[in-house]
Amino acid sequence: MDLDVITKYSALHAKPGGLILQYGTAGFRTKAEHLDHVMFRMGLLAVLRSKQTKSTIGVMVTASHNPEEDNGVKLVDPLGEMLAPSWEEHATCLANAEEQDMQRVLIGIIEKEAVNLQQDAFVVIGRDTRPSSEKLSHSVIDGVTILRGQFHDYGLLTTPQLHYMVYCRNTSGQYGKATIEGYYQKLSKAFVELTKQASCSGDEYRTLKVDCANGIGALKLREMEHYFSQGLSVHVFNDGTKGKLNHLCGADFVKSHQKPPEGMEMKSNERCCSFDGDADRIVYYYRDADGHFHLIDGDKIATLISSFLKELLLEIGENLNIGVVQTAYANGSSTRYLEEVMKVPVYCTKTGVKHLHHKAQEFDIGIYFEANGHGTVLFSKVAEMKIKQLAKELEDNKRKVAKMLENIIDLFNQAAGDAISDMLVTEAILALKGLTIQQWDALYTDLPNRQLKVKVADRQVINTTDAERQAVTPPGLQEAINGLVKKYRLSRAFVRPSGTEDVVRVYAEADSQESADSLAHEVSLAVFQLAGGVGERPQPGF
């Protein structure tokens, strides 16, 4: 490793003075013009991680549901999972190092992680459709090549597709072929096989409108749709030919504003869904006959999938251990329905996909979805082998059911939450169960809820426990919340500090929207008074 050459090249990707960034669950994200140095350095880091793990590592250039002028980068570990926490710290140190400290920081990482510099390295790179992404991916390649790593640039990919490529390469093709064609074929074949079992006919259940947030999802869905067109007809909206990425459209917009995206005509009871900008989130929705908008978020997707899997396992008499993992933001009605009606155990973790993913790995079948529509199903190796064995051994109808489970395993991109994969699974289940979108929505009724944020001088005064559902500090805050919750029916509330800014996020739900709004406001006032609120006191009204 020639440190002088690295220093020389690093100067061509110079760090803006005073810029400090934190590698979080979503990697680095900020305005695209501030990221050139970060991309170069993440190329360096990916090579070191590849050498240390003796595996292919992925680098994805995207800012997901952020505005078009932003960009970001995240590294993908060997089995398609998020970067290990200790390497998140290395990423933050390396990104924030001043030019004169670069050599010292690099050497520190190499020594701490015992990286063998003689080991070969291979990095795969993908990017979304942002105007800044191509140039920034070249900066990643500069970092990879300067440390003499080998690379393959896949160009335009959804984030889950890059996770899939990394997983395939590190399992020597056992998971699938590490090509875009391989991805399309694996998912489509499983979907078509599964939907052949559906008894319903006609177009009633088989047409879907998809808002692609003017992002990469539109491009990839169009490339893929002819593979599964006999099972599903998709109509793509917000395909990037006119609108801006994530502007007034996409999963995040629909979820947070509780209304349909612009650029999509909706007739009553038509089934519609939205991806986010890099196609790793999905939410469904429809308008009823009276024109009212109904959102079907990640909680309801998890409920549909877990109840279907439970039914299939009961049919073949197989007692695999199923668990659904949620965060504190999951609607209380979904938790009650899963536990009390479906008898499926539910577990709660801290907010953030890495916490959900880690918990889901503890089960034979672990299902996790955040309310925002990011999620997947993880099948343990034991569950996978058992189901594949049963698909060969069982007789007649039971063998057919086991085969359906086998198709579902192939349909899920287990490396990451994947909007395309989740869409195909959802569509297959609706077809197999003969459910309309209204019937799916009617499984349970969401409790009215409200989310607010309160500006504070220092968010670190708030510490939480019990998967962020209880505030430990400041003193008296949790007692105040408990007292307020007692005033309302079917209510709960919690507060948690933002991961990126000095605000405290407040969540409240109750038996009516008026009560949820009132509870959220009162909790916001308690936060303002007890946790160092700044600026204007929270005002009622939304």
CSV table of all heavy atoms in Angstrom, one decimal, residues 1-8 102-103 106-107 110:
chain,number,residue,atom,x,y,z
A,1,MET,N,0.9,-1.2,0.0
A,1,MET,CA,0.0,0.0,0.0
A,1,MET,C,0.9,1.2,0.0
A,1,MET,O,1.7,1.4,0.9
A,1,MET,CB,-0.9,0.0,1.3
A,1,MET,CG,-1.8,1.2,1.3
A,1,MET,SD,-3.0,1.1,2.7
A,1,MET,CE,-2.0,1.6,4.1
A,2,ASP,N,0.7,2.1,-1.0
A,2,ASP,CA,1.5,3.3,-1.2
A,2,ASP,C,0.8,4.5,-0.6
A,2,ASP,O,-0.1,5.0,-1.2
A,2,ASP,CB,1.9,3.5,-2.6
A,2,ASP,CG,2.9,4.6,-2.8
A,2,ASP,OD1,3.0,5.5,-1.9
A,2,ASP,OD2,3.7,4.5,-3.8
A,3,LEU,N,1.1,4.8,0.7
A,3,LEU,CA,0.4,5.9,1.4
A,3,LEU,C,0.5,7.2,0.7
A,3,LEU,O,-0.4,8.0,0.7
A,3,LEU,CB,0.9,5.9,2.8
A,3,LEU,CG,0.4,4.8,3.7
A,3,LEU,CD1,1.2,4.8,5.0
A,3,LEU,CD2,-1.1,4.8,4.0
A,4,ASP,N,1.7,7.5,0.1
A,4,ASP,CA,1.9,8.8,-0.6
A,4,ASP,C,0.9,8.9,-1.8
A,4,ASP,O,0.4,10.0,-2.0
A,4,ASP,CB,3.3,8.9,-1.0
A,4,ASP,CG,4.2,9.1,0.2
A,4,ASP,OD1,3.7,9.6,1.3
A,4,ASP,OD2,5.4,8.8,0.1
A,5,VAL,N,0.8,7.8,-2.5
A,5,VAL,CA,-0.2,7.8,-3.7
A,5,VAL,C,-1.6,8.0,-3.2
A,5,VAL,O,-2.3,8.8,-3.8
A,5,VAL,CB,0.0,6.5,-4.5
A,5,VAL,CG1,-1.1,6.5,-5.6
A,5,VAL,CG2,1.3,6.4,-5.1
A,6,ILE,N,-2.0,7.4,-2.1
A,6,ILE,CA,-3.3,7.6,-1.6
A,6,ILE,C,-3.5,9.0,-1.2
A,6,ILE,O,-4.6,9.6,-1.4
A,6,ILE,CB,-3.5,6.6,-0.3
A,6,ILE,CG1,-3.6,5.2,-0.8
A,6,ILE,CG2,-4.9,7.0,0.4
A,6,ILE,CD1,-3.5,4.2,0.3
A,7,THR,N,-2.5,9.6,-0.5
A,7,THR,CA,-2.6,11.0,-0.1
A,7,THR,C,-2.8,11.9,-1.3
A,7,THR,O,-3.6,12.9,-1.3
A,7,THR,CB,-1.4,11.4,0.7
A,7,THR,OG1,-1.3,10.5,1.9
A,7,THR,CG2,-1.5,12.8,1.2
A,8,LYS,N,-2.0,11.6,-2.3
A,8,LYS,CA,-2.1,12.4,-3.6
A,8,LYS,C,-3.5,12.4,-4.2
A,8,LYS,O,-4.1,13.4,-4.5
A,8,LYS,CB,-1.0,12.0,-4.6
A,8,LYS,CG,-0.8,12.9,-5.8
A,8,LYS,CD,0.3,12.4,-6.7
A,8,LYS,CE,-0.3,11.6,-7.8
A,8,LYS,NZ,0.7,11.1,-8.8
A,102,MET,N,-5.4,11.5,7.2
A,102,MET,CA,-5.9,10.3,6.4
A,102,MET,C,-5.0,9.1,6.6
A,102,MET,O,-5.5,8.0,6.9
A,102,MET,CB,-6.0,10.7,4.9
A,102,MET,CG,-7.3,11.2,4.5
A,102,MET,SD,-8.5,9.9,4.3
A,102,MET,CE,-7.9,9.1,2.8
A,103,GLN,N,-3.7,9.3,6.5
A,103,GLN,CA,-2.8,8.1,6.6
A,103,GLN,C,-2.9,7.5,7.9
A,103,GLN,O,-3.0,6.2,8.1
A,103,GLN,CB,-1.3,8.6,6.3
A,103,GLN,CG,-1.0,8.9,4.9
A,103,GLN,CD,0.5,9.0,4.6
A,103,GLN,OE1,1.3,8.6,5.5
A,103,GLN,NE2,0.8,9.6,3.5
A,106,LEU,N,-6.2,5.5,8.3
A,106,LEU,CA,-6.2,4.3,7.5
A,106,LEU,C,-5.4,3.2,8.2
A,106,LEU,O,-5.8,2.0,8.3
A,106,LEU,CB,-5.6,4.5,6.1
A,106,LEU,CG,-6.6,4.9,5.0
A,106,LEU,CD1,-5.9,5.2,3.7
A,106,LEU,CD2,-7.6,3.8,4.8
A,107,ILE,N,-4.2,3.6,8.6
A,107,ILE,CA,-3.3,2.6,9.3
A,107,ILE,C,-3.9,2.1,10.6
A,107,ILE,O,-3.9,0.9,10.9
A,107,ILE,CB,-1.9,3.3,9.6
A,107,ILE,CG1,-1.2,3.5,8.3
A,107,ILE,CG2,-1.1,2.4,10.5
A,107,ILE,CD1,0.0,4.4,8.4
A,110,ILE,N,-6.4,-0.6,9.6
A,110,ILE,CA,-5.7,-1.8,9.2
A,110,ILE,C,-5.2,-2.6,10.4
A,110,ILE,O,-5.3,-3.8,10.5
A,110,ILE,CB,-4.6,-1.4,8.2
A,110,ILE,CG1,-5.2,-0.9,6.9
A,110,ILE,CG2,-3.7,-2.6,8.0
A,110,ILE,CD1,-4.2,-0.1,6.0
